Amino acid sequence: MQKEEILKLPISYKNIRLIRLNLPQKEQFVSGIGVRNSRKALIIEWEDDNGTKGYGECSCRPDPYYSDEFIEGAIALVNQFIVPFLKQNQTFGDLLKLLDKIRGWNFTKAAVEMAALQVIEQNTGKSPFQLLQNKPLAHVPVGISLGLYTDVDRMKKVVKNALETGYKRLKFKISPKVRVDFFEEINPMLFEADTFVSFDANGSFGENDLDIFHYFANTYQSMIEQPFAPTRFDILSKVKKEHPEIYICYDEEIKSIGDLIKLHHLGMLDEVNLKVGRVGGVMKSIEIIQYCAEHNIPCWIGGMFETGIGRTLNLRMASYLPNARAHDLSPSDRYFLEDIVQPNVQMNNGLVNMESLKNCTIQPNLIDKYTIDQKTLTRIC
């Protein structure tokens, strides 16, 4: 299938429903961004003229602390700058042109695209995933993201459980305030295990925090994700020039194919954490995956603690990356007391069986249970 064929696929519009959810977590999660006790999410339901429904999840946070998007702003964007310009009938390419006209707001645009693509695939059996050359994996390797800890015994217990569960990667959240002595205590567990270990700073390090940064870079000789704020390329450039051996994974810097190509041409690109929402959706992600494949750039799929709606999409994308060590896509029961898809996204010894995802269906009763607000935008004519 060619890209032009995908762009010509029809999509009609009858209703768009904006659903705000609040999904309770099993336990508190702490990172360099802040503390989270539940997943506050925006779900977009697209209904066409035939009554076919598709769902997309806006992966932005409720606050503008990870990116400049936030849920209330996303709702306003869809309400004011997307829905009023939809036609009763259009092509998928027409929809992308409408979304591309909007600068930024990638998480929001990705959710709209995802909802429309679900409708298109149900109606035609065709999907942009058919543009990818690799045969999808039957089993996708996944890792676990571990937060910041204030209790070393709790940290040891969580690490021990993660290793025994079989995750293919343990990724620790770190910040300038991280307890290095805690890592000194768990290092025997990490060094003895046959599990890849990496770190994620969520852009929390600055010029005055490099001693702690170098501790992790030198002790583990492993990937450090997003050590500096995406606006502080000067610090990143300085550190890479002084210590070219440091291996950095990019996350928030890459919001488009242009960002990726820029970093690659500057010789600064070691690895890419690709978040489908952050780059604007499935079509944009496929473009980045193809570039990474052509230039031998390691790439894997990251998550934003999505519900099963976004999680299954991310895993589908991950299945087309056969060389990735692991993806940040832990199963639903790792985070939520109850997901909105059933059965939950499940894992066995660090692997998600992609065949099992075909049975994951959205449960309207669970969406209703965790809905805190909703609004239906209906076509007037």
Side-chain angles (χ1 to χ4, degrees):
M1 176 174 288
Q2 299 298 314
K3 181 178 179 180
E4 291 72 21
E5 186 178 353
I6 293 290
L7 297 178
K8 291 178 181 178
L9 293 173
I11 175 73
S12 65
Y13 154 62
K14 180 181 179 182
N15 295 314
I16 281 185
R17 186 160 65 118
L18 305 176
I19 309 164
R20 281 202 302 138
L21 303 177
N22 191 12
L23 230 59
Q25 294 173 191
K26 285 187 172 181
E27 59 183 24
Q28 188 179 82
F29 189 87
V30 183
S31 71
I33 295 176
V35 178
R36 192 189 64 248
N37 295 296
S38 64
R39 165 64 175 155
K40 296 179 175 66
L42 171 63
I43 305 299
I44 294 178
E45 178 191 83
W46 182 306
E47 182 179 1
D48 73 356
D49 282 338
N50 298 318
T52 303
K53 295 180 180 180
Y55 294 86
E57 179 170 353
C58 181
S59 300
C60 72
R61 290 170 55 93
D63 51 57
Y65 300 149
Y66 172 83
S67 73
D68 48 11
E69 290 184 70
F70 57 101
I71 289 177
E72 289 295 337
I75 291 171
L77 184 83
V78 175
N79 195 18
Q80 297 179 41
F81 297 102
I82 296 179
V83 168
F85 301 98
L86 293 175
K87 302 173 184 177
Q88 178 178 356
N89 293 287
Q90 61 241 294
T91 66
F92 180 54
D94 293 332
L95 175 62
L96 291 186
K97 287 180 182 178
L98 169 60
L99 298 178
D100 284 342
K101 186 177 180 180
I102 300 168
R103 293 193 179 187
W105 296 92
N106 284 350
F107 284 115
T108 311
K109 293 188 293 188
V112 174
E113 182 213 51
M114 177 183 174
L117 282 175
Q118 281 197 1
V119 172
I120 289 171
E121 189 165 12
Q122 289 179 72
N123 288 338
T124 68
K126 296 178 180 178
S127 161
F129 287 97
Q130 294 166 333
L131 298 173
L132 292 166
Q133 299 301 313
N134 291 326
K135 181 180 178 181
L137 297 171
H139 298 86
V140 172
V142 298
I144 187 172
S145 184
L146 302 175
L148 296 167
Y149 293 92
T150 56
D151 183 322
V152 70
D153 291 329
R154 172 61 180 161
M155 187 179 186
K156 287 179 179 177
K157 182 178 179 181
V158 171
V159 170
K160 182 175 183 292
N161 179 261
L163 292 171
E164 291 175 348
T165 302
Y167 284 101
K168 301 303 181 185
R169 176 177 63 205
L170 270 60
K171 189 177 82 172
F172 293 90
K173 297 290 186 178
I174 58 174
S175 80
K177 297 181 180 179
V178 73
R179 291 288 299 269
V180 170
D181 56 320
F182 284 13
F183 281 90
E184 288 291 306
E185 288 205 37
I186 68 165
N187 278 344
M189 300 168 61
L190 300 179
F191 294 152
E192 290 173 8
D194 185 25
T195 302
F196 181 58
V197 174
S198 68
F199 304 93
D200 183 5
N202 289 114
S204 59
F205 283 86
E207 289 180 281
N208 299 322
D209 310 311
L210 294 182
D211 286 346
I212 295 178
F213 170 79
H214 286 306
Y215 166 81
F216 289 97
N218 296 331
T219 302
Y220 301 91
Q221 297 181 345
S222 182
M223 176 189 81
I224 298 182
E225 182 182 337
Q226 197 63 53
F228 313 112
T231 56
R232 294 307 304 269
F233 190 78
D234 55 323
I235 305 176
L236 177 63
S237 179
K238 177 183 177 182
V239 170
K240 286 292 285 183
K241 286 178 181 178
E242 294 176 353
H243 302 277
E245 74 283 359
I246 290 176
Y247 193 87
I248 295 178
C249 177
Y250 293 90
D251 180 1
E252 296 163 49
E253 282 97 347
I254 299 176
K255 297 180 179 179
S256 67
I257 186 68
D259 293 334
L260 178 76
I261 294 171
K262 175 185 70 177
L263 289 166
H264 182 223
H265 285 182
L266 289 171
M268 304 290 290
L269 194 62
D270 295 323
E271 188 162 316
V272 175
N273 171 358
L274 171 59
K275 290 177 179 170
V276 177
R278 193 192 63 237
V279 302
V282 171
M283 294 296 287
K284 306 292 188 185
S285 296
I286 289 173
E287 192 176 18
I288 287 173
I289 287 173
Q290 290 172 334
Y291 184 91
C292 287
E294 290 170 5
H295 296 89
N296 298 313
I297 300 169
C299 178
W300 49 275
I301 304 300
M304 293 288 291
F305 299 98
E306 287 92 347
T307 72
I309 292 175
R311 195 168 297 268
T312 52
L313 173 77
N314 290 339
L315 283 161
R316 187 176 181 185
M317 189 71 73
S319 71
Y320 287 91
L321 294 170
N323 298 321
R325 287 190 180 109
H327 306 269
D328 275 359
L329 303 172
S330 298
S332 301
D333 58 10
R334 150 79 174 126
Y335 300 110
F336 305 125
L337 292 172
E338 194 173 32
D339 201 350
I340 56 174
V341 301
Q342 294 292 331
N344 286 341
V345 177
Q346 298 173 352
M347 177 194 78
N348 182 29
N349 196 31
L351 299 171
V352 174
N353 184 342
M354 294 302 294
E355 187 67 26
S356 69
L357 297 188
K358 295 179 180 179
N359 298 321
C360 289
T361 56
I362 294 166
Q363 303 297 304
N365 61 313
L366 294 178
I367 288 182
D368 291 342
K369 179 178 179 180
Y370 295 110
T371 293
I372 56 176
D373 188 32
Q374 62 177 306
K375 181 178 183 179
T376 300
L377 306 172
T378 303
R379 189 184 72 239
I380 298 176
C381 56

